[in-house]
Each structure stands twice: as C-alpha cells, then as structure tokens.
Amino acid sequence: MSRTTLFTNARLIDPEQGTDAPGWLLIEGTTIKALGTEDAAPAADAVIDCGGHCLAPGIVDIGVKVCEPGERHKESYRSAGLAAAAGGVTTMITRPDTLPAIDTPEALEFVARRANAAGPVNVRPMAALTKGREGREMTEIGFLLDAGAVAFTDCDHVITNTKVFQRALTYARGLGALIIAHPQEPGLSAGASATSGKFASLRGLPSVSPMAERMGLDRDIALLEMTGARYHADQITTARALPALERAKRNGLDITAGTSIHHLTLNELDVADYRTFFKVKPPLRSEDDRQAVIEAVRSGLIDVICSMHTPQDVESKRLPFEEAASGAVALETLLPAALRLYHSGDLDLPTLFRAMVFNPAQRLGLASGRLASGAPADLLVFDPDKPFVMDRTTLHSKSKNTPFDGQRLQGKVRLTYVAGTCVYEAA
C-alpha cells in the first residue's frame, strides 16, 4: 500500500466548488484520497499541521517562457522549475518562443525530456503554430500533438496572413487542438512601448491605442466563426476588448481568455521614470482598464490568470525604455501579487484559484487543478497574510527582472507538493 499523508488544520481553498472552509485532506501515493471537515480526520503514516494556513491545488501557469534551447543564461528548466516550486506553481505550460522555435516533434520531445528531468514540477510544452513562428507555413500539428504538445501558439508574433491563420484553425479544429493567440493589430502596435494617453505623451514614449487589442480580437473571433476552432486569447488587458469577448462567448464560440498578473496589479503610471522592469507586452494599461479586467475575472468573462513569465538578462533591460526588452519574471511573484487582489477585497480566494488553477487545467484537459478524490496530489500550502519585502536577488530564476522588487507584498508559500512529493518547503 502507498504511503499516506494527512494535512490537518487547513483552510481548504476549492476552486471547483468555490469554497473556502476549514478541513483536512488525505493523500495516498501520488493522488488525493479524501478530504473533509475537521471532525473526522482519518489516521495516516504522516501528519502535517497546516497551522490554519490555506491548502489549495497547485497553480497551473499557462505561458511560461523557459529559455532552452538558445538562451540558457536567461533561464533554464532547472532554475525555472525551482522558481515554480517556490511560487506554488506545480504545472508550467511552456511557450515555444525559444531560439530556435519549438516547431518540430523532435524539438518538442527534446524540451519535454529535458524539462521533466531537470526540474521538480510538471512541464507541459506548447508548440509553435507556424514554422519559425513566421506566420507563413503551418507546423505539423498532428505530429506535434502526438509528441505531447498541449496547445499551439506563435506567442507575440501575430499571424498577419489571414489565410494562413484560417487554414491552421481549420486544421486544428479537425484534430481538436487548442490554439492560443495574442490579440493585437500588429501594424498599430509595432514599436509601441506604452499605451496611448496623457502619460505616454508626457513621457514621449511610442504608444499603441487599446483599440489595437480589440481589432486583433475582432479578427480572431471572425475566423473562429468561420472555422469553429478551439481558441484561447493569451492576454486581454483592455476594457475595449471585453464586449467582443462577451459576445463571442454568448454566441457559443469555443473561446476562453486569459490575462497576466501584471495587468491585474499594475498600471501605466508604474512605469514612472522609464523603469524598464515595468515594460511588458502588451504595455501596462490605464487604471480604468485594470479595474475592468479585474471585474471580468470576477464575473468569469476572463477565465485564466497567468504569470507570463518572461526572463530577460540585465543587458537587455539596462537600455532606454523604448529599446529595452519587454517582459518580467513572475513564477515566484504570481501568488503574492494575486493576493494583493484578495487583500484589497477585489477577488476572493476561490475566484483567484479558479482562474489560476482550475480553469487553465480544464482548458488544457489536465487532471490537476482540483481538490477531489482521485485528482493528482499537486498541492500548495500558503500563508496569505505573511508580509515581506520582495528582494529580487533572492529569486530562484536566473533573470531577476521583476517589477515587484522592493515592494511590500503579502503571502508566502509554505509547502509545494507535486504528485504527493514535497518539492519545496519554506525555510
């Protein structure tokens, strides 16, 4: 019989049921065996007292960039895996925007093997939708699916040739493959490093209208109506795009949408005096947009919150704002940043975990993301109230480009379990 471990004195956050209640949870081997309220906890080989802290399914993070192959000095599967475990992320869904792009079954098998040998958490790779992410010729979707691709995306390279995109969507639909796209009108957004408005004008930054996101989404929705494909928008960050998304869902299209933790917790004013750690793609938006996106997460219109973990080295960030690389590391800051929304009263914990755990797992067809008998024992114990000041030098990621450096945050991971094995314990 497999070894059993009992978590007692826990605050169970169940995103599937939408509950936040005291209780216990029993794991046997690699799976959850049972859970319930405090009064009738069973015996077990090992007992862990959670001290009244939260116990939730481990985070499933869509869109993590690990810079293997090509730029291991920025992030390796080993360093990303350690950062994920420390951040309560038990499954990383990795992006194919590497050098070269992951666009063949051989490349996909290489990263899958490398990832799962090097790091302590689950890694499920995505593959490129077009060869070299160049938007000209579709990849071998069927072979890549067989090799283990969970979704197909060209990341922030928007496919401008609508015919190519339509063919790829049609082909993907026949195979039941999920397409993840970056809604942006590429002509309007080319070269932009801020969102249009008074702030960008005062700072003299090249900017893009929020309308570019809406136009990109409108085009993609029209193609979905044509093809009936399964589609996920990686980041919806503006109020302008939300009515189109709501209409598409109401019309029965197979569409879901995500947003990044940075767009939920930061706004364009945080760029202040050209701080390049705040340069992300799409650029940070107005406070009105941020509030609209929070409301969309609360209502379920936006399904997924992700880290959009994008490591950049010092050389690519220590440049004038316009020239600096975009992106921020976020595997370890995803949870404490998300807890800002809990402490401010914007979102409760079941809603946050539904967007960070349950919905992404469901969209990708994974068994994880649930507190239920028979589900994988991918678990996270965290203290939601523990205050700390973020020091980027302590991050496990090789790159330290976090916008939260020096900021006061609340919420510390205590334990992370993957398949019933403890992969991280706070010191």
Side-chain angles (χ1 to χ4, degrees), residues 24-183:
W24 54 265
L25 183 136
L26 180 71
I27 62 177
E28 182 178 352
T30 60
T31 58
I32 297 171
K33 184 153 196 245
L35 63 157
T37 51
E38 258 332 313
D39 46 20
D45 299 326
V47 177
I48 294 169
D49 185 340
C50 296
H53 294 150
C54 297
L55 173 62
I59 296 168
V60 178
D61 192 4
I62 295 186
V64 175
K65 178 162 182 177
V66 180
C67 306
E68 281 190 66
E71 299 175 296
R72 278 193 66 195
H73 65 286
K74 291 185 179 181
E75 191 82 287
S76 67
Y77 276 104
R78 178 78 188 145
S79 60
L82 293 172
V89 175
T90 54
T91 302
M92 295 192 292
I93 313 299
T94 55
R95 304 198 317 244
D97 53 347
T98 46
L99 296 173
I102 297 163
D103 57 3
T104 65
E106 295 77 23
L108 191 83
E109 281 165 358
F110 162 76
V111 297
R113 229 183 10 255
R114 175 99 190 89
N116 290 304
V121 302
N122 303 310
V123 176
R124 305 297 296 271
M126 297 190 280
L129 184 58
T130 64
K131 290 181 180 174
R133 299 195 303 129
E134 291 172 352
R136 291 201 288 267
E137 190 183 347
M138 135 177 114
T139 54
E140 295 168 322
I141 294 174
F143 291 145
L144 285 160
L145 272 177
D146 292 343
V150 290
F152 295 84
T153 179
D154 277 356
C155 304
D156 57 356
H157 285 193
V158 178
I159 298 176
T160 51
N161 186 322
T162 312
K163 186 128 196 163
V164 169
F165 196 25
Q166 180 237 322
R167 281 185 183 142
L169 286 167
T170 304
Y171 195 73
R173 188 204 169 191
L175 294 165
L178 176 67
I179 302 298
I180 298 183
H182 182 70

